[in-house]
Amino acid sequence: MVPNDTRSVGELEGRIETFDSTPPATLSDEECAQLTDALVALADAYGARGEFDAEAELIARLDRLRAARPGSDVDIHLASALANATEVHGRADVYETAIDPDRLEAYRDRIEELYERRPEPVIAAPLARATAQTVHANGTAERPGRIGPLLDRLETVYDAHPEPDVAASLLRAYAHAELYLGADSLDADSLDADSPDGDSGVGEDDREDGAASHEEQPDGPNGDGPARDRLARAEDLFKTHPDGEVAAGLAGILAGRTNADAKRTDVETIEDRIGRIEALADRYPAHESEITRWLPVATANATRASFEVADVGRVEHWAAQTADYHERLATASSATWAAVATFFSARASFYDGDVAAGEEKLERLEALDRRYDNPVFAHWRSRAMFDAARAYVETNRPERARETAAELAAFAVGHEDREAIESGLESLYAHAPQMFDEERFEAETETEAGSESDAPADDESRAADHEIAVEPTSSVGAPGDAPGETAADATASSTDDGSGCGSCGDDGCGSCGSDRQLAEPASLPVLAAAAAALAVVVLSVAYTLYRAAGAAKRALDRS
């Protein structure tokens, strides 16, 4: 339904029924206008409820009415109805788990046909709007190759009709391109998911939405046409059209650019962009919701970048800001970014030894997973569960470690990424066998004591053997995740042979040593003793590095 239309679906259906017995050609101009208006509004109402077949039937009826009354303005209203049918963000709840970009592209193409017959601003505006939405749909569906030609078409439409509404659609399209193609459309591997929702809205090998700057990489493989900096283009258009809707598009590009900023761990630049978006919202209060809807993207990236530089205070600040924005917006998209921020906040807590805080944040991720029927939330939750399990091992909490591992094992049953999750669990078990199979470990220890007469009998040495810890993923090179990565990529990025600890990339992992060629293993007693010593040393170094980085940062801040 059009934004200001307060009529109910029942009222609109009744209004349309009054014209059912009247042939279209015999309608007066006033009656035709009333029928057209009701058809457009009801079609949009059906589409917003996910009743796409009903929406399509009303669009077909509008098309028949247009054919029966050549020379009328029905084609303008038909173009508007078709553009409404391409809406993505406004129908976020409908498209929570899936989207059909082909259907949306077909509607956009029909507006293109209307524009060819009538190349006027009244058709150009809905064509531009539908094209921007189709960019969004193709990005969500992970079809980046289709985005570039659509951007080129939008530029052509703007050249012919340099109006504010066309400029606003062009910038909205660029905003989505910034998210799904990255800062330069060059990092094909960075596309998620989405996300998101990206690796958009997320895995260890960082299939991220961001890439290098436009100036560094002039052209890309995703069909993004000649080299251009979308942000610079947006700034120019905003100067030409200082309009609220254009400002909303600029805000989207600023937010999308923070993906690349986060990849460079440029926290200050991200914070500057957040301030710019907030200033735009203050300047255009009538469009505040359109502008602030982009803030969770930027604040989540600020959370991630702050984690990368071990600035725990900033991590907590921006994670809280992201949660606040989600509470205000309450959309599936804002929830995705809230999950991103919560994950990095939880990881920072677990790495910093604050297990209770990490657990509380894990509960928030579980609540998001229950609320939204989207695998990206389960993906973030399962990754945080792996962090929790490692933290329990590191802090010598065997019961909680086993409970969490059991939850992950249960979570994997029936999950599409079961093999990857179970592979990560097996690696976790191998790191601390005494915690996950204590009976077997004790039996092996007794065998060692009985067969090795010269083995040391020191109680402390045996105690150390029972405190083997899992090495935490180092904060250096921690994943830069995006909402759209698949659960397999994010939960347990395993190597080709299926090994991994849940935090490894394609080139192996420092945590579990996956993807390495190993010699014939030593005997179990010798291996257990060596693993204990190595794990304790590695854990000490990893924690020392992370906490030292945080301490150094705080010292610099005080100086």
Side-chain angles (χ1 to χ4, degrees):
M1 229 179 284
V2 293
N4 297 323
D5 200 324
T6 58
R7 293 170 291 180
S8 69
V9 168
E11 290 174 327
L12 290 168
E13 289 173 337
R15 185 61 177 159
I16 291 171
E17 286 174 2
T18 63
F19 298 103
D20 283 349
S21 59
T22 307
T26 63
L27 292 171
S28 67
D29 290 343
E30 183 179 353
E31 290 174 330
C32 181
Q34 293 173 356
L35 175 58
T36 300
D37 173 69
L39 287 170
V40 172
L42 185 58
D44 190 32
Y46 283 149
R49 299 197 309 194
E51 299 177 23
F52 300 127
D53 290 341
E55 180 182 44
E57 289 175 8
L58 292 179
I59 289 175
R61 183 167 176 178
L62 267 170
D63 204 10
R64 291 193 297 271
L65 183 60
R66 177 193 62 81
R69 302 180 69 86
S72 68
D73 287 338
V74 177
D75 54 350
I76 299 174
H77 299 286
L78 174 59
S80 180
L82 289 165
N84 291 341
T86 65
E87 178 65 36
V88 176
H89 177 70
R91 299 178 178 183
D93 291 338
V94 176
Y95 293 130
E96 191 171 308
T97 57
I99 192 169
D100 183 1
D102 290 329
R103 181 177 62 84
L104 274 57
E105 279 197 353
Y107 284 142
R108 195 213 73 87
D109 291 345
R110 289 175 66 181
I111 305 175
E112 190 82 64
E113 294 171 2
L114 293 172
Y115 178 75
E116 290 173 1
R117 298 192 193 103
R118 189 173 178 175
E120 300 175 9
V122 288
I123 305 293
L127 173 60
R129 181 158 61 97
T131 304
Q133 293 294 339
T134 306
V135 168
H136 189 179
N138 278 302
T140 301
E142 299 182 13
R143 305 199 306 186
R146 295 176 180 258
I147 292 177
L150 291 169
L151 297 177
D152 292 339
R153 179 61 182 131
L154 261 174
E155 285 283 5
T156 302
V157 173
Y158 176 77
D159 288 343
H161 309 281
E163 305 294 333
D165 50 358
V166 178
S169 293
L170 176 58
L171 290 201
R172 280 195 295 270
Y174 276 143
H176 294 301
E178 193 71 29
L179 282 173
Y180 293 111
L181 298 183
D184 186 302
S185 318
L186 288 167
D187 194 359
D189 294 333
S190 72
L191 289 173
D192 157 38
D194 141 313
S195 164
D197 183 2
D199 217 43
S200 278
V202 192
E204 294 288 352
D205 53 353
D206 294 338
R207 280 186 311 146
E208 187 108 67
D209 295 66
S213 69
H214 163 75
E215 291 81 359
E216 295 169 351
Q217 304 284 356
D219 207 357
N222 289 315
D224 197 18
R228 56 171 169 262
D229 188 323
R230 285 184 286 269
L231 182 53
R233 175 65 168 147
E235 296 284 10
D236 289 342
L237 286 171
F238 181 61
K239 289 177 184 177
T240 305
H241 308 284
D243 173 86
E245 291 189 3
V246 178
L250 173 59
I253 297 171
L254 288 166
R257 187 58 61 92
T258 64
N259 278 320
D261 299 331
K263 203 166 189 177
R264 298 191 303 271
T265 65
D266 192 346
V267 183
E268 289 77 11
T269 296
I270 296 174
E271 291 175 340
D272 289 344
R273 300 199 199 283
I274 291 171
R276 181 81 188 285
I277 296 170
E278 291 173 336
L280 289 171
D282 291 339
R283 181 176 173 182
Y284 298 97
H287 297 274
E288 180 183 11
S289 63
E290 300 171 57
I291 296 171
T292 56
R293 61 167 278 211
W294 295 102
L295 279 170
V297 179
T299 54
N301 276 321
T303 308
R304 170 197 161 190
S306 299
F307 172 84
E308 299 279 10
V309 298
D311 191 334
V312 177
R314 267 178 163 150
V315 170
E316 295 308 307
H317 171 75
W318 290 118
Q321 286 289 100
T322 309
D324 288 344
Y325 285 128
H326 170 55
E327 287 182 9
R328 288 166 52 187
L329 298 169
T331 65
S333 176
S334 66
T336 299
W337 292 101
V340 173
T342 304
F343 167 76
F344 280 106
S345 179
R347 174 165 276 193
S349 294
F350 284 129
Y351 282 13
D352 208 38
D354 192 346
V355 176
E359 290 174 327
E360 189 271 332
K361 293 159 188 174
L362 176 56
E363 289 175 0
R364 291 186 221 161
L365 285 171
E366 291 169 346
L368 287 170
D369 187 23
R370 288 191 298 269
R371 165 66 180 81
Y372 294 94
D373 183 19
N374 189 323
V376 74
F377 296 99
H379 143 66
W380 287 115
R381 174 192 168 198
S382 61
R383 291 193 63 188
M385 289 171 71
F386 270 110
D387 284 344
R390 286 193 293 264
Y392 295 139
V393 172
E394 291 154 6
T395 54
N396 198 26
R397 304 185 191 188
E399 289 187 9
R400 289 296 292 130
R402 285 193 288 266
E403 288 172 6
T404 304
E407 287 179 38
L408 274 167
F411 172 79
V413 175
H415 195 280
E416 61 180 0
D417 301 307
R418 177 174 182 171
E419 183 177 346
I421 296 170
E422 291 180 344
S423 173
L425 283 171
E426 287 299 324
S427 182
L428 187 65
Y429 300 153
H431 275 300
Q434 81 293 345
M435 279 199 179
F436 298 102
D437 193 358
E438 195 165 20
E439 211 172 86
R440 183 187 67 187
F441 185 86
E442 289 176 351
E444 291 168 355
T445 304
E446 290 170 4
T447 301
E448 177 188 9
S451 60
E452 301 287 345
S453 58
D454 59 343
D458 189 283
D459 290 338
E460 291 182 4
S461 297
R462 284 197 296 270
D465 288 343
H466 284 268
E467 294 175 2
I468 299 174
V470 175
E471 174 199 356
T473 304
S474 169
S475 65
V476 179
D481 307 325
E485 126 185 287
T486 63
D489 292 329
T491 304
S493 296
S494 59
T495 54
D496 292 339
D497 63 359
S499 63
C501 65
S503 292
C504 9
D506 293 336
D507 56 349
C509 176
S511 294
C512 68
S514 63
D515 203 29
R516 295 178 182 170
Q517 298 299 320
L518 300 179
E520 185 71 21
S523 65
L524 283 175
V526 174
L527 186 60
L534 179 61
V536 169
V537 171
V538 169
L539 172 60
S540 176
V541 171
Y543 264 104
T544 300
L545 286 174
Y546 186 79
R547 289 169 177 163
K553 180 68 173 60
R554 289 190 288 273
L556 287 173
D557 290 343
R558 287 195 298 269
S559 63

